[in-house]
Amino acid sequence: FEVQRAEGALQLSVFDNGRGFVADEAAADPRLGSGLRNMDERAALLRGTLELHSVPGTGTRLTLRVPVADTRPA
């Protein structure tokens, strides 16, 4: 995983080099896609975005980006 803070946002990426899958097919399957939809809805509640990139045979990367206030001294 990776965690970064830049440009007013906190970004968390989780990835693997596993089997991967076709993301559109998983999102359309009610048995598999509900978890992806729930994560996307929760990201939206935080005014953030959730990006999924997966290719069969190469793995998956899930990236959450959430806006954060800059608390550094001026």
Side-chain angles (χ1 to χ4, degrees):
F1 73 94
E2 297 173 346
V3 178
Q4 298 175 338
R5 182 177 176 174
E7 300 176 19
L10 180 65
Q11 180 173 300
L12 169 67
S13 294
V14 179
F15 47 89
D16 66 24
N17 60 353
R19 296 183 316 176
F21 56 92
V22 178
D24 291 339
E25 290 177 12
D29 185 333
R31 297 169 298 145
L32 303 173
S34 63
L36 296 172
R37 281 191 298 277
N38 287 338
M39 287 189 285
D40 193 48
E41 290 171 3
R42 290 169 195 251
L45 288 172
L46 296 170
R47 297 184 343 233
T49 59
L50 188 70
E51 180 180 310
L52 174 69
H53 180 75
S54 186
V55 177
T58 63
T60 302
R61 175 180 285 264
L62 186 66
T63 301
L64 171 65
R65 186 172 172 88
V66 180
V68 294
D70 188 356
T71 58
R72 292 177 285 185

